[in-house]
Amino acid sequence: MFKFAALAALVSIIPLINAQSPIYGQCGGINWTGPKTCVAGTTCTYLNDYYSQCLPGSSSTPASSTKPPVSSTTAKPVSSSTKPVSTSTMPGGSPTTSSAPASTPTVAAGNPFSGYTIQINPVYQAEVVAALPAISDAATKASAAKVENIPTFFWLDAVARIPTLDTYMAAAAAAGGKRLVQIVIYDLPNRDCHAKASNGEFTIANNGAALYKTAYIDAIVAIIKKYPSVRVVAVIEPDSLANLVTNLSDPNCAAAQSVYLSSVTYAMQQLTTVGVVQYLDAGHAGWLGWPANLTPAAQLFASLYQSAGKPAGVRGLATNVANYNALVAASPDPITQGNPNYDEIHYINALSPALQASGFPDHFIVDQSRSGQQNLRQQWGDWCNIKGAGFGTRPTLNTGSALIDSIVWVKPGGESDGTSNTSAARYDSTCSLPDATVPAPEAGTWFQAFFQTLVTAANPPL
Ligand SMILES: *[C@@H]1O[C@H](CO)[C@@H](O)[C@H](O)[C@H]1NC(C)=O
Ligand SMILES: *[C@@H]1O[C@H](CO)[C@@H](O)[C@H](O)[C@H]1NC(C)=O
Ligand SMILES: *[C@@H]1O[C@H](CO)[C@@H](O)[C@H](O)[C@H]1NC(C)=O
């Protein structure tokens, strides 16, 4: 499924007052008609065929990771020419292994969120700030403004986003005190093997397994190592392991299986060397929460964890990432019929004993960013820009369950799940179902109307 945290086409929805895009603004992509240059101090950086963005830094970025704004009308989701090979920040391609320097933080024991202030994700904050002028209703605008200070995760869904992690971490370090940065690791080769169109930048056929390690994980680790005072919490690879539990009948998933496992193993081990607290993605109640899937899921997580040498950074699992389920539903949504685990708390309570039996740490974080309203979907599997969705419970350590470390907002609400344009190359029919909000823009780009509904339907209200 599409759940890109790709960034937004902000300037397309506000009147252009000058010819340059602001920091984190769009500056290129197929059919982009806005400004193609960026304000001083930022560089227009190619992220994918649909999106180039003004990222901090001057144009000293290696040419291999920067492409001019795309004006071609060829909408190929993945092209080998777009593969960034940004190795300049890495020590000769040889990853850090067993001997971490003394300054490297050890992985925190206990709830990693306890006592820490979450540094606001600057990219999402910029998106929300840019969305405000287009909101005419004053009360809605005031509510929307509050969203800019709610912590969301920063999705590292392309190598080109890695320099922004440096900016984000530097701000956290400069703020001082106990600061926490939240990231999503999301760039596996042949990513999203069960989706109708793959949108990852790495393919197994094009050396993706090696590039995932050297150009992606090693580059992230090198940045995190620079800021030992900042704690990092990561969600690891949404959908990938759940797809290996339920979707191996899909040849794309079967073909990706061994590379998914070796890549996630590498990520767990290397992120542990720099103290990153990790939650592997575990789908949601309507996926791995079906009783028949619980034990196979626990066994997959546990075998991966054990064969990786039980990396100390692995704290548990993340559920409901970019989905719409309630943590605690007031009553079962009719679409969940047949599954006793009809909400995330039932799923977590049912999975926990299976994890303990298999030998995997049973701590959780749960995404509630778009779970404010319930009983909206026609089928549980529907995931695209659900009509009437509202922002949900704010991130909190007051979770009501000893198994849950924190309620979090992993999905940056307002970024589209996928386009409803039937002629677009990445069209997925899920995005024009009767319960999807239409017309919807390309996955990852800003969806102003959807954002405004999230604001007005927020529960609890903003
Ligand atoms: C871009 O615009 C052209 C002309 O309208 C159209 O043919 C093409 O399909 C568009 N591409 C995308 C990805 O929307
Ligand atoms: C594949 O995964 C999807 C979730 O993306 C799930 O709804 C579906 O049932 C799975 N397919 C099979 C055959 O298990
Ligand atoms: C839908 O996509 C087609 C093909 O990419 C494009 O030509 C058209 O302009 C798009 N329509 C809208 C409303 O964006």
Side-chain angles (χ1 to χ4, degrees):
M1 76 181 74
F2 292 114
K3 48 181 60 170
F4 298 81
L7 304 166
L10 302 176
V11 290
S12 65
I13 49 97
I14 53 174
L16 298 174
I17 44 175
N18 61 42
Q20 289 186 317
S21 273
I23 184 166
Y24 304 122
Q26 184 167 1
C27 55
I30 293 169
N31 287 355
W32 172 246
T33 55
K36 295 191 172 163
T37 56
C38 295
V39 293
T42 68
T43 303
C44 189
T45 305
Y46 171 89
L47 294 176
N48 60 48
D49 288 354
Y50 304 91
Y51 202 84
S52 294
Q53 187 185 32
C54 299
L55 295 177
S58 63
S59 51
S60 61
T61 316
S64 57
S65 66
T66 307
K67 256 178 75 164
V70 175
S71 57
S72 139
T73 54
T74 314
K76 292 194 306 302
V78 177
S79 128
S80 59
S81 67
T82 66
K83 192 177 299 137
V85 191
S86 168
T87 54
S88 60
T89 57
M90 297 176 312
S94 66
T96 50
T97 47
S98 47
S99 57
S103 65
T104 300
T106 52
V107 178
N111 186 339
F113 294 90
S114 251
Y116 275 74
T117 302
I118 303 173
Q119 184 72 18
I120 297 297
N121 166 358
V123 178
Y124 185 60
Q125 187 170 45
E127 289 174 340
V128 172
V129 167
L132 299 179
I135 302 175
S136 48
D137 179 68
T140 305
K141 188 185 287 196
S143 298
K146 295 181 185 166
V147 177
E148 69 179 89
N149 292 316
I150 299 175
T152 58
F153 279 62
F154 176 55
W155 289 60
L156 287 156
D157 60 355
V159 167
R161 288 193 205 286
I162 295 174
T164 302
L165 175 63
D166 208 339
T167 312
Y168 181 19
M169 294 212 48
K178 292 177 152 188
R179 289 276 159 169
L180 187 148
V181 157
Q182 306 181 125
I183 61 174
V184 179
I185 298 293
Y186 189 54
D187 207 16
L188 282 177
N190 292 23
R191 187 176 68 196
D192 222 355
C193 61
H194 191 62
K196 290 180 182 155
S198 167
N199 286 263
E201 61 191 347
F202 297 143
T203 60
I204 295 170
N206 259 319
N207 202 29
L211 289 168
Y212 181 78
K213 294 178 178 177
T214 58
Y216 183 70
I217 294 293
D218 290 355
I220 291 168
V221 164
I223 287 170
I224 292 172
K225 192 183 249 172
K226 287 163 60 181
Y227 306 98
S229 69
V230 178
R231 177 169 290 175
V232 178
V233 165
V235 168
I236 306 296
E237 296 293 353
D239 291 356
S240 61
L241 300 176
N243 269 321
L244 298 188
V245 176
T246 63
N247 281 318
L248 284 178
S249 58
D250 182 329
N252 294 325
C253 292
Q257 181 179 23
S258 67
V259 171
Y260 275 16
L261 295 174
S262 60
S263 300
V264 171
T265 296
Y266 188 81
M268 291 189 294
Q269 292 171 335
Q270 296 308 313
L271 292 168
T272 292
T273 68
V274 286
V276 177
V277 182
Q278 302 158 57
Y279 298 87
L280 306 187
D281 183 82
H284 59 88
W287 189 351
L288 300 185
W290 290 92
N293 292 338
L294 294 169
T295 299
Q299 287 172 349
L300 176 72
F301 292 124
S303 74
L304 188 60
Y305 173 66
Q306 281 166 20
S307 68
K310 300 188 178 180
V314 177
R315 168 81 181 161
L317 301 173
T319 79
N320 201 47
V321 169
N323 208 278
Y324 298 84
N325 298 337
L327 173 56
V328 180
S331 61
D333 185 329
I335 57 169
T336 68
Q337 206 169 20
N339 186 346
N341 302 316
Y342 57 81
D343 58 16
E344 295 302 301
I345 192 65
H346 282 84
Y347 169 39
I348 285 167
N349 286 337
L351 186 57
S352 167
L355 292 172
Q356 285 185 5
S358 309
F360 185 90
D362 59 338
H363 303 286
F364 295 84
I365 53 176
V366 183
D367 188 359
Q368 290 290 284
S369 64
R370 305 189 297 182
S371 297
Q373 301 294 333
Q374 292 298 304
N375 301 4
L376 301 172
R377 288 172 284 185
Q378 297 198 337
Q379 294 188 61
W380 208 353
D382 295 351
W383 48 263
C384 196
N385 303 319
I386 299 299
K387 232 182 239 174
F391 283 120
T393 307
R394 257 57 99 203
T396 177
L397 303 193
N398 187 7
T399 66
S401 166
L403 294 171
I404 304 174
D405 287 341
S406 185
I407 289 170
V408 290
W409 282 19
V410 182
K411 171 76 186 186
E415 294 180 356
S416 176
D417 295 316
T419 178
S420 58
N421 182 345
T422 53
S423 318
R426 299 198 297 179
Y427 171 68
D428 190 306
S429 59
T430 309
C431 296
S432 49
L433 289 173
D435 57 7
T437 312
V438 296
E442 279 287 345
T445 61
W446 192 252
F447 191 175
Q448 180 76 13
F450 189 67
F451 172 71
Q452 290 183 207
T453 306
L454 287 171
V455 170
T456 53
N459 176 27
L462 286 158

